[in-house]
Every structure is written in structure tokens, then in C-alpha cells.
Amino acid sequence: MTTTSSDQVSSTARHIEATEAYAAHNYHPLPVVLTSGEGAWVTDVDGKRYLDCLAGYSALNFGHSNPRLVARATEQLSRLTLTSRAFYNDQLGDFARALSRLTGKDMILPMNSGAEAVETAIKVSRRWGYEVKGVPADSATIITMRGNFHGRTTTIVSFSDDAVATTGYAPFTGGFRSAAYGDIDAIAAQIDDSVVGVLFEPVQGEGGVVLPPEGFLRDLRALCTERGILMIADEIQSGLARTGETFACDHESVVPDIYILGKALGGGLYPVSAIAANRDVLGVITPGSHGSTFGGNPLAAAIGAEVVAMLEEGTFQQRSREIGERLEVGLRALIGKGLVGVRVRGAWAGVDVDPALMSGRQVSEALMARGVLAKDTHGSTVRFAPPLVASDDDVDVLISALADALEQGA
């Protein structure tokens, strides 16, 4: 039986109406209903294909339905998925060893979502401050950056300056101080004997792929070492090959005291997150002092170990650099033709659209009409993060669609 156009439209509308009716409105999705994906492309319920240039906010670095990851997940799914940490399982040890090797750290602490990993880093940093640094009880302070995005928990939004994320959720958690992103002097001015760490994104993703000034990461590493505080890098979006290096900190040959990882660590198949640090930091965690029912489960560990194995081959980092070079050329050619700013780091780009032309949401809708999916942020900024399996032709599709949308003004 052939599906009619009206049947297709009603199918799309039905899914959207059900979601809007029964799921809380904590997102404002583009009006497309996706049903399958392969590589850098997805298909909606009407059978229309789109180039995915969001990649699940970098959770899909390795593409949709990556055959290698799907095979590993399927194998583990049929054997054992969950034990809780009340028992050992035969996957976690190998995953922990592999991720420790990738990060160059002594040990990891596995969790599930990125926000849980950030919360874990905060707890570990405070406990390290009390037990190792000797900060007086109940006074540990962490410096955060303006324009940050680290998650949505009550504690995490306590140090957000995004009114949308904070309105209606007070009272907030104390123990945080804010400094201008990329301003080493502003950070130094906030440090006193209560400060245990500096939490930052090597690239501010939600802010619009905001890049730090050259040398900032090196200066921050030196400052943290000098003042005896922890350098805490949130690499949830920027890590695992997204920026052309395994970690965004690698661009300045900097190693933080704590890596916070997530998103692509689960290969786009399953929520997997972790923090990685040396034993003098993570050794403060003792049985019962922190935990997660699903953290370190065998399915997550199997997928995470396969992700690490893929990253250790280096091909995704190289492909990210190649995509970035093509994005840089194509996007910069549009400055003055609707774009007023372009920032690229590997296969990750933020573009600022002339607000007199259209909003970021309007650009995203115009791209969707041209078969490209992307997401706006902060008014007139749009982010692009295609899967690292995207071809040169795929990148050209993005550039062409954006150029046409800007030229047509819709």
C-alpha cells in the first residue's frame, strides 16, 4: 500500500502532538520527527533524509548506528547489562584501564550523564580540598567561568549566568565564584585559601563554540599548579576527537587534574560518563561516599571500552581536523554575506548571523527546509557539529545550504 502525502503529514503531526501533550516542554525542537539514522544522515517519518549537523550535541561523534559500536553493544546486551556496583563485572576493569590509558590518569570514576560527572568532579574536588589541601570544613570554593554550561542540576545551575536555566529554581547552592572566561587575571583575583579548583570548558559549546584566547589553557595550568588548586576540565562536548585532538586541552599541550567526560563516551548508543584523575585526587573517594546504580554497568563499560579503542587509532581525530579545515574555508567565505562571526575548532563551528537578517532559530528552520539539521543558541548564533564520519561532500552540503538560506533570507 502506498502512503499518501496526507498520511505522511498526519503521521508527523501525530508524533509531535503526542510529545507536546504528554512530555514536559523543556525543549523547543525543530518540527521534524526522526525515525532512523546511519552515519551522518537521518531520516524522518516522511522518508525525507537530513544531514545531521548537531550529532546529539557531540554524543554522536562516530555517527549514527556505527557498525562497530552496535556490534559490541549487541554482543554485550545479550550477555549481561547490569549488576550494580555491589558486585564486580567482567567489563568495568577493562574499560577503566583503557580510559585511564587514554587520559593518562591513574583511575576513573564512572557515571552515566554528563551532569552526574560534573557533580562527581565537584564532590571529589571539595573532598580533596578538605582531606589533602587542608581547607577548613564547609568552606571549599570552586571558581567557574561566565557563559558556562555544565548541566541542569540544582547545584550546576547555581553557577550559571543563563537566566533561562536559573529562573524559578532558587535557592541555589553556595561555594562557587564566577570569573570572565579566558581572563587569567580575573581568575587569579578570585583565588584565596578556600579555593580548591577551577572548573572550565576548554571550548564553551553551549555558548556558541566560544574559543579561549591563545595561551589561556597554559596560563590556567600554571596558575593552578602555583596556587595548589585543581584544574578541572569539562571535556564532555569538546573531548573525544570533536576538536581535532583527543581532548581540547591537547591544543595547548595541557593536562588538567580532572577530566570530565561524557556524551561521545557512550558512542551515541547509551549514556556513559566518567571523571579521570590521578590517585592523589580520586583516592579520597571511599566505599559508600559516592555511587550510582548504573554507573560502570557492563553494557556501558563495553561500549566505552570500544570507544576508547577507536579513539586510540587516531583516525577520528584526523578526520575532525580535515572537516574543520573545510568548514573554516566555507564558513569564512560567508562573512559579510549574512554572517558576522565564525569560530571553528576541528569539526565544531559556531557562526553568528547578522541579527538584522534573521535569528538563529530562523536559520535553523531554513536549513531544515534544505535538508540540514542544526541548532541555534543565544539569539543569532548557530552551532554545527557534524559526525566525524561526514564526507567532504556532506560538509559541502552544509555550506551550500547555509549560503542559500542566508542569500534568500529564510
Side-chain angles (χ1 to χ4, degrees):
M1 177 178 175
T2 303
T3 303
T4 67
S5 177
S6 60
D7 288 336
Q8 293 171 339
V9 171
S10 64
S11 177
T12 297
R14 178 174 61 82
H15 288 291
I16 291 176
E17 288 169 5
T19 302
E20 291 298 303
Y22 297 104
H25 299 168
N26 57 325
Y27 282 90
H28 183 203
L30 292 173
V32 57
V33 180
L34 303 177
T35 186
S36 64
E38 182 178 0
W41 291 81
V42 291
T43 304
D44 71 7
V45 291
D46 298 345
K48 182 177 179 179
R49 296 179 75 238
Y50 299 83
L51 177 64
D52 180 3
C53 289
L54 184 63
Y57 299 99
S58 293
L60 287 153
N61 282 1
F62 312 105
H64 293 269
S65 304
N66 182 284
R68 183 167 167 181
L69 292 174
V70 168
R72 184 65 189 91
T74 301
E75 177 190 9
Q76 187 61 40
L77 191 62
S78 65
R79 294 179 59 241
L80 184 68
T81 59
L82 180 65
T83 61
S84 88
R85 293 295 303 280
F87 315 107
Y88 291 96
N89 68 70
D90 64 353
Q91 300 299 314
L92 179 55
D94 289 342
F95 170 50
R97 181 189 298 112
L99 190 56
S100 294
R101 183 174 64 243
L102 186 74
T103 57
K105 296 298 184 181
D106 293 341
M107 57 201 319
I108 71 158
L109 200 167
M111 299 297 288
N112 308 289
S113 70
E116 287 177 283
V118 173
E119 289 271 1
T120 298
I122 291 169
K123 290 175 71 175
V124 168
S125 299
R126 286 176 171 173
R127 188 156 181 170
W128 172 88
Y130 298 132
E131 296 186 4
V132 178
K133 183 171 176 157
V135 173
D138 303 327
S139 67
T141 302
I142 294 174
I143 297 172
T144 62
M145 306 290 104
R146 294 189 196 125
N148 71 73
F149 181 83
H150 298 283
R152 302 286 192 183
T153 68
T154 304
T155 292
I156 291 172
V157 300
S158 297
F159 50 83
S160 170
D161 51 16
D162 182 353
V164 175
T166 59
T167 299
Y169 298 126
F172 296 118
T173 306
F176 302 99
R177 296 175 187 168
S178 179
Y181 181 65
D183 188 337
I184 197 68
D185 293 331
I187 296 170
Q190 293 277 19
I191 297 176
D192 60 22
D193 291 342
S194 73
V195 173
V196 299
V198 178
L199 173 62
F200 70 102
E201 299 159 87
V203 177
Q204 289 192 327
E206 185 70 17
V209 192
V210 178
L211 307 178
E214 176 65 29
F216 171 67
L217 300 182
R218 290 190 295 271
D219 290 344
L220 182 58
R221 173 68 277 177
L223 178 65
C224 289
T225 300
E226 176 189 343
R227 300 300 294 270
I229 59 180
L230 299 175
M231 183 182 187
I232 311 161
D234 180 344
E235 293 259 20
I236 292 169
Q237 279 199 69
S238 62
L240 309 184
R242 171 51 59 186
T243 67
E245 301 286 349
T246 302
F247 306 107
C249 285
D250 293 345
H251 286 280
E252 294 195 16
S253 301
V254 162
V255 178
D257 296 295
I258 298 177
Y259 284 106
I260 307 175
L261 304 171
K263 293 195 185 296
L265 192 58
L269 273 64
Y270 197 79
V272 183
S273 68
I275 71 169
N278 284 336
R279 199 169 304 276
D280 60 338
V281 175
L282 262 178
V284 301
I285 294 296
T286 53
S289 63
H290 188 58
S292 167
T293 298
F294 283 87
N297 70 74
L299 179 58
I303 294 170
E306 194 67 24
V307 165
V308 171
M310 293 164 66
L311 288 167
E312 287 180 326
E313 295 170 3
T315 55
F316 288 97
Q317 294 88 329
Q318 176 61 30
R319 182 58 193 153
S320 179
R321 291 191 288 271
E322 293 166 355
I323 291 172
E325 291 169 1
R326 205 168 187 91
L327 282 174
E328 184 89 41
V329 172
L331 294 175
R332 291 210 173 276
L334 299 178
I335 292 180
K337 299 178 181 179
L339 297 187
V340 295
V342 170
R343 296 168 299 280
V344 178
R345 176 111 342 146
W348 206 11
V351 300
D352 300 324
V353 180
D354 184 347
L357 183 64
M358 65 179 94
S359 69
R361 174 74 182 196
Q362 289 172 319
V363 173
S364 298
E365 291 171 346
L367 287 172
M368 187 188 80
R370 291 163 172 81
V372 173
L373 299 181
K375 193 67 174 68
D376 59 292
T377 185
H378 299 294
S380 61
T381 298
V382 180
R383 294 160 293 173
F384 300 115
L388 306 183
V389 295
S391 68
D392 287 352
D393 287 344
D394 293 339
V395 177
D396 292 345
V397 166
L398 164 59
I399 300 299
S400 177
L402 179 61
D404 187 61
L406 295 172
E407 183 179 0
Q408 298 298 322

